[in-house]
Amino acid sequence: MQVTINNIAYSLSDLEKDIWNRLVNGAVKSRDSFHTPSVATHSGNDISLRTVVLRKAVSESKELRFHTDTRSKKWQELIVNPSISALFYDAADRIQIRVKGRAVLHFNNDITAAAWQKTSLSSRRCYLTNFDPSSFTDHPTSGLPEHIEQENFTLEESEIGFNHFGIVSIQVQNIDWLWLHHAGHRRAHFDYVSEQYQWMIP
Ligand SMILES: Cc1cc2nc3c(=O)[nH]c(=O)nc-3n(C[C@H](O)[C@H](O)[C@H](O)COP(=O)(O)O)c2cc1C
């Protein structure tokens, strides 16, 4: 059983490979529509949703990564409950991908050290606020000291940011794929826990 998209016929396993190609592209290309997924976490009995930058996608290990401040709410929420979901939509190709998985939190280890080395000065600013992210203030501010806001600091001075630098690794458990098409939508489910790939009614 196959689905034909742009004259290419895809089996379920072809589709699964295509999904990971798209995710890998999303991680490496800053203008790709898969570069900035929405990521949902549990916040007590509530839900919490935000945009992040997809930094890495590894097909072999079914892993997605993004960077964040370990003082952020999402990090604290994931410590309590590692259930996580990510949402991607490519408006040009009309493909939605919904990912569910478990978050593995990396902090102060080889993985964060290697990623931190590659982080630009301007990205490092995110980890250099004196106050915790989400703190309320009495005036609009980035929370950064003036010289840091103006990027007037050295790489050495930015090293302190490593103390707040965390990587969330999503260990993907399943993917829900949806393709919108005027002649009939198509949907498929890829479950890595039960190792089942199935077509679905959209
Ligand atoms: C385009 C875009 C990319 C973002 N990328 C990240 C990111 O990679 N990591 C991150 O922690 N926050 C990122 N943010 C900010 C988050 O959406 C969010 O506002 C912030 O992290 C606080 O979320 P929290 O309170 O749920 O922890 C991004 C926001 C936008 C608009």
Side-chain angles (χ1 to χ4, degrees):
M1 233 68 88
Q2 293 178 319
V3 58
T4 303
I5 304 175
N6 295 333
N7 296 322
I8 302 171
Y10 293 87
S11 65
L12 279 167
S13 81
D14 295 334
L15 211 50
E16 199 266 345
K17 287 191 188 76
D18 183 70
I19 289 169
W20 281 95
N21 283 340
R22 288 170 182 276
L23 292 169
V24 169
N25 267 331
V28 296
K29 294 182 186 158
S30 63
R31 290 179 188 278
D32 194 279
S33 50
F34 278 14
H35 192 57
T36 48
S38 302
V39 168
T41 50
H42 287 274
S43 172
N45 288 331
D46 209 350
I47 38 159
S48 207
L49 195 61
R50 79 287 290 162
T51 313
V52 299
V53 172
L54 180 66
R55 297 285 177 178
K56 200 175 175 83
V58 188
S59 168
E60 293 73 23
S61 54
K62 309 301 174 205
E63 184 194 0
L64 301 174
R65 283 187 198 168
F66 66 90
H67 298 171
T68 198
D69 193 313
T70 56
R71 300 169 296 175
S72 69
K73 291 206 167 165
K74 70 182 88 49
W75 185 271
Q76 302 306 322
E77 288 163 4
L78 288 167
I79 289 173
V80 177
N81 186 340
S83 290
I84 190 162
S85 182
L87 177 68
F88 301 83
Y89 181 56
D90 186 323
D93 289 351
R94 308 188 81 196
I95 289 174
Q96 170 182 268
I97 289 173
R98 294 197 292 170
V99 167
K100 278 192 192 171
R102 309 290 285 176
V104 176
L105 304 181
H106 293 283
F107 173 64
N108 201 13
N109 64 13
D110 290 352
I111 289 174
T112 53
W116 179 253
Q117 286 309 314
K118 294 184 198 154
T119 308
S120 67
L121 263 194
S122 92
S123 299
R124 286 188 178 196
R125 282 187 307 183
C126 300
Y127 306 93
L128 294 171
T129 55
N130 291 329
F131 304 100
D132 291 358
S134 296
S135 306
F136 290 108
T137 78
D138 56 9
H139 63 288
T141 172
S142 66
L144 294 169
E146 180 71 14
H147 70 291
I148 294 193
E149 188 167 86
Q150 299 303 322
E151 263 188 64
N152 194 8
F153 60 100
T154 64
L155 199 62
E156 206 179 339
E157 285 173 292
S158 72
E159 285 303 327
I160 186 127
F162 186 62
N163 295 336
H164 304 136
F165 180 67
I167 297 183
V168 177
S169 161
I170 305 176
Q171 193 54 58
V172 178
Q173 293 180 318
N174 61 65
I175 295 176
D176 181 316
W177 171 93
L178 174 69
W179 177 54
L180 301 181
H181 193 248
H182 58 84
H185 309 325
R186 296 289 185 275
R187 187 171 169 196
H189 193 254
F190 303 88
D191 194 316
Y192 299 120
V193 180
S194 65
E195 293 179 8
Q196 275 193 321
Y197 295 178
Q198 288 169 292
W199 298 108
M200 293 171 94
I201 302 298

